[in-house]
Every structure is written in C-alpha cells, then in structure tokens.
Amino acid sequence: MPSVSCALAAAAALLLANPVAGGVMPPPRDVARYKWLVNAGSNASEPQQVHASFGEDPMTSLQFVWSTRTAADTILRFGEAGKPMTSIANGTSTPFDEPVQFIHRAAATGLRAGTTYSYVVGSPAGGWSNVSTMTTAPVPGSPEAGALVFAVYGDMGLDNERSLAWLVKDVEAGAFDAVLHVGDLGYDLDSDGGLRGDAFMNSIAPITARVPYHTMPGNHEIEGGTFKAYRSRFWMPASNDALYHSIDVGNAHFSMISSEMYFAISEYGLLMMPEQFTWLEKDLAAVDRTKSPWLVLMLHRPMYCQDDDSQGDACHTLTNPTRVGYFGQYALEPLLLKYGVDLVVGAHEHFLGLSKVLYNNNASTAAMSNQTDGSILFRNPGAPVHILAGSAGCPERLDVLSPTQPEWSAGAWDVYGYGYLSFPSASRATWSFRNDTDGSIINRLEFQQDHHGPFAA
Ligand SMILES: [Fe+2]
C-alpha cells in the first residue's frame, strides 16, 4: 500500500484537472437584481441578511449573524417571547470586502431549552432589525423533540430558486423548525463581486431570521479553496469555519461535513481531508445514542446517484472517494456501519433520489414494505438508507435521470422541492418531500429502528 502522503499526492494530481462539476454557470441575467434587496436606500448601518444557527449547545444557545454596509456596533437584544428584550449580548464585527460591508456575530447563551425568544440585532446608532423570534432545541425525548421538523435541501441559488416561495410560506406557518442546507448556496456567493451573495442572503432572510439555518459547503462555495464568502457569511457552532460541524437537536445527531475535501484536494491542500475524517470519526464515536438515537450524515456530494452520467460525477462510479476513500484511506462508507448511521443525505445532483437499504453497492429490500397509506416503511434496516435532495432550485436546472436505474435505487424523481425530516421518537423517523411544481407531498417514508448502534458488517 502506498504511503498516505503518496496516495494523497497521486489523488491530487488526478484531481487537478477535475473541473467543478454540476454544469455550466449561466451569465448573470440581471445584475441590478443583485443589489441589496432589503432596506435598499435606507440607513447604511441598518442590519441586513439576519440569520442564525443553533449554538454549541442547541438547547441553551443560539448564534446570530448579520451585515451592515457601514461600521456599526454589534448588539443582540433578546428575551423570552412576550416579555421585554432585556438581555443583551455584545458581539464582534469583521470587515468584508466583496462587496464592502461589516459582518456581525453575536451569541445568546444561558437560554432555556425548547423556548422561543424574541430578538433584535443592530445598534442604537445604526438601527435595529425587525423584531423576530428564534426557538432553542427542546430536551431530547420530550414531546417537543418528537414534533421537530427539519427542512432539508441542497442546491438552492438565486436564479430559479423554485423552493424559496414554498419555504417562506412554510416557515410563516411554522411547518418546520430548522433548515439543513446540504451545500451549494447562492450560485455563487462571491459572484458579481459578492452582490449575488448579498442578494441570496437577503432572499433567504425571511427563513433564516425565523429558524436556525445550518449549512455545509458544496462545490459552489469553494472559491479557489478559500471558501471566503462562505466562511465569512456563515457561522456554525464549534466548527472549522463552518466547513464541518455537528449538532444534537431533538432526537437526532446531525454530522454535516464537506464532501469537497475529497474532490478539491488541489485547492484544499492535502491535510483537510484527513483532518475532517479524524474529526468525523471522533464525532460519531462520541454520540450518546440514548440521548440522540438517530444518526444522520449529511454531505453535499452524494455517495450514490441515479441521474445520467453526462457530467461524469463520482457518484456514478464504484470508486467514489467519499465511499471508498483514496487507496483505502479516509473512506466514509465503512463509518456508516461502524457507528450505525441511519440516514445519509446528499445533494449536488438536481433531483430527488431514494436508495434501498444500501452498503458497498449492495442493496436489500428485506426491511422495506409498502404501507396502505402509500408510504414506504423501513423496519430495522441493517445498513443506511441514502436520500438525495439536490433540487431546491438553481440556475443549472434539473438533471436528467438515467433511463436505466441502478439496482440499489428505490426511486428517483425529477422534481424541484425539499424534504421534511422528523424523529417522532427514539424508534421512529419520517421523511417526505414537497414537490414545488404543484405543492404536493411525495416520497413519504417511515423508519423504525428498535436498537440503535453499529450495524453488523
Ligand atoms: Fe454541487
């Protein structure tokens, strides 16, 4: 076996010529559209692009990010909903140059679990955001934890943002409690000197100011290996500049990593993939399944996919490096069995895909059954199920499904939309998908897992 450094160097050489996959970016259609969308023409120190995520302890902390065009103090005022916002947290601001702005970060800590807080961000001199609310994570195992719904999608940009209107409608109706965006945001955050990033952040602000919005980078965030706009604009808890992180929320543990480290080695360098791999294994090993029984791995580029191979993506191959690593090193798929990962969610390919119970390209339907209500039940699957949700809407449009579906596929749908993931109890999880074309709910799944832990090899 070659040494690790030799293996990585060889992989880097192979990948130097590998272009960013996912199609050709069309030219901007209307640059004027990418100017500040919210509060245009108003006080330049007024907060924009307000967004939040759960903090390091999602039950007791929330963290907020916003932008001002000119320098301003960084103040978060908050209080339990219905009461005065008497708590104050001072944060920090960092100048950003694409386009020029100041990006502010402040965290609310010492909060109560499962509690809704009112908040504003800004400063007395610069102005304040509108009053909004944000809710901390409930105690695992509680009825509130079972009622949580996560909106899940990847690949939503600013042009052809098909899911956005549905998401805004949903968040206003309280239909979901947090968002997990599986990479490719903005298309691209740094385009047009960053104006597109501003416009994208403002376009999702009706969502991000209301519920925690968790992200992981996709290939559209690489920015030559710097991830500059992504790292600057997003703040994930206890993370490596938002490149990978995990949260325990409700009855689930979500590990959200960067698949790009397996594909952009020439841009990342040779250390990021091993560093992330070491972090991930430690993260998965540390999960307390009595508190977080469900385990979900999320990464932008899927391990498997069902569209045609016109773009030559690795998910069509048996040597997909996220699955098998490089020369046997840093393979992610064995971790799925070792730690009993229930679900793997990817995106990048623009359609909805579902696998059978799947490991190492071998699929089983033994745990699957069709229920009378039209849903599919996975009862005590002995390996993960893979879901691909990369069609929230982007300028690259939908991908074309392969006319010959792989044996492991349990279905693929060429539709725009996003998923709803919930974990009603330690033994039950559900998934469904909003078809944005007509608003219908499709792909309803139920998972029953009576004993969480490592899967048998
Ligand atoms: Fe992508």
Side-chain angles (χ1 to χ4, degrees):
M1 187 178 73
S3 70
V4 171
S5 58
C6 286
L8 292 175
L14 282 172
L15 292 164
L16 274 168
N18 185 21
V20 172
V24 178
M25 174 67 69
R29 291 188 307 184
D30 178 7
V31 172
R33 187 179 174 211
Y34 303 136
K35 293 178 180 175
W36 300 87
L37 293 182
V38 177
N39 302 330
S42 64
N43 183 343
S45 294
E46 243 175 48
Q48 299 197 21
Q49 308 174 31
V50 179
H51 56 110
S53 66
F54 290 116
E56 197 161 341
D57 178 355
M59 290 189 287
T60 63
S61 58
L62 296 164
Q63 48 193 49
F64 297 80
V65 183
W66 66 96
S67 287
T68 56
R69 275 182 282 173
T70 57
D73 288 339
T74 304
I75 300 171
L76 165 66
R77 293 180 55 192
F78 61 97
E80 287 191 26
K83 298 178 182 177
M85 294 182 286
T86 53
S87 297
I88 291 177
N90 292 295
T92 59
S93 73
T94 305
F96 187 64
D97 61 353
E98 288 184 316
V100 170
Q101 63 193 278
F102 291 80
I103 298 180
H104 305 258
R105 296 181 175 191
T109 57
L111 308 179
R112 294 201 309 144
T115 303
T116 299
Y117 289 83
S118 300
Y119 75 92
V120 293
V121 299
S123 65
W128 298 95
S129 64
N130 294 330
V131 176
S132 188
T133 60
M134 195 70 61
T135 303
T136 53
V139 174
S142 66
E144 293 78 14
L148 285 177
V149 178
F150 300 85
V152 178
Y153 52 87
D155 305 76
M156 188 173 79
L158 191 61
D159 297 321
N160 192 35
E161 66 277 39
R162 296 286 291 263
S163 292
L164 183 61
W166 282 108
L167 288 162
V168 171
K169 191 176 174 182
D170 261 1
V171 81
E172 288 172 350
F176 57 80
D177 303 285
V179 171
L180 309 170
H181 190 144
V182 194
D184 279 4
L185 312 94
Y187 285 78
D188 295 343
L189 295 173
D190 61 313
S191 293
D192 306 328
L195 287 175
R196 198 188 299 231
D198 283 343
F200 175 74
M201 299 305 295
N202 275 326
S203 75
I204 61 173
I207 305 164
T208 59
R210 293 283 294 275
V211 297
Y213 200 93
H214 282 255
T215 60
M216 60 222 80
N219 52 298
H220 281 276
E221 281 72 64
I222 291 178
E223 240 186 293
T226 68
F227 292 83
K228 179 181 169 185
Y230 176 75
R231 289 179 196 248
S232 300
R233 292 180 183 276
F234 288 94
W235 182 23
M236 295 297 117
S239 69
N240 184 347
D241 288 336
L243 296 182
Y244 49 88
H245 76 287
S246 66
I247 49 171
D248 291 286
V249 178
N251 299 324
H253 177 92
F254 301 92
S255 299
M256 292 172 264
I257 66 171
S258 170
S259 56
E260 300 319 296
M261 292 173 190
Y262 286 79
F263 295 92
I265 293 172
S266 59
E267 293 164 305
Y268 270 116
L270 297 177
L271 293 178
M272 293 295 281
M273 179 172 60
E275 285 176 359
Q276 176 179 257
F277 184 86
T278 301
W279 171 87
L280 177 63
E281 181 143 35
K282 197 179 291 185
D283 179 70
L284 294 173
V287 177
D288 180 348
R289 304 299 285 268
T290 65
K291 292 181 179 173
S292 304
W294 293 95
L295 200 44
V296 183
L297 177 66
M298 312 186 98
L299 71 173
H300 177 65
R301 300 208 202 201
M303 294 189 184
Y304 300 88
C305 57
Q306 296 114 312
D307 52 336
D308 72 12
D309 197 14
S310 59
Q311 294 169 28
D313 284 343
C315 53
H316 298 282
T317 70
L318 294 176
T319 55
N320 186 351
T322 59
R323 286 185 50 228
V324 303
Y326 288 106
F327 301 99
Q329 301 289 310
Y330 315 120
L332 295 176
E333 197 170 27
L335 300 184
L336 307 180
L337 280 199
K338 184 176 180 182
Y339 296 103
V341 174
D342 299 290
L343 287 171
V344 181
V345 181
H348 187 58
E349 314 292 320
H350 304 146
F351 64 94
L352 165 66
L354 171 69
S355 80
K356 299 169 182 171
V357 179
L358 178 60
Y359 182 72
N360 197 24
N361 216 40
N362 294 312
S364 169
T365 57
M368 298 172 62
S369 59
N370 294 315
Q371 303 193 99
T372 54
D373 65 357
S375 64
I376 298 173
L377 171 65
F378 292 82
R379 189 191 300 270
N380 290 320
V385 172
H386 293 249
I387 292 172
L388 195 160
S391 57
C394 73
E396 296 167 356
R397 313 286 159 167
L398 294 172
D399 287 327
V400 177
L401 298 178
S402 171
T404 307
Q405 285 293 297
E407 187 275 335
W408 55 260
S409 176
W413 298 263
D414 222 0
V415 294
Y416 289 109
Y418 55 95
Y420 302 96
L421 187 57
S422 68
F423 305 90
S425 71
S427 61
R428 185 164 169 264
T430 68
W431 164 269
S432 60
F433 191 86
R434 166 84 72 185
N435 179 347
D436 287 347
T437 304
D438 58 8
S440 61
I441 300 296
I442 62 173
N443 193 218
R444 287 181 297 119
L445 312 177
E446 185 170 348
F447 299 88
Q448 180 182 327
Q449 188 62 265
D450 296 324
H451 303 287
H452 293 277
F455 293 124

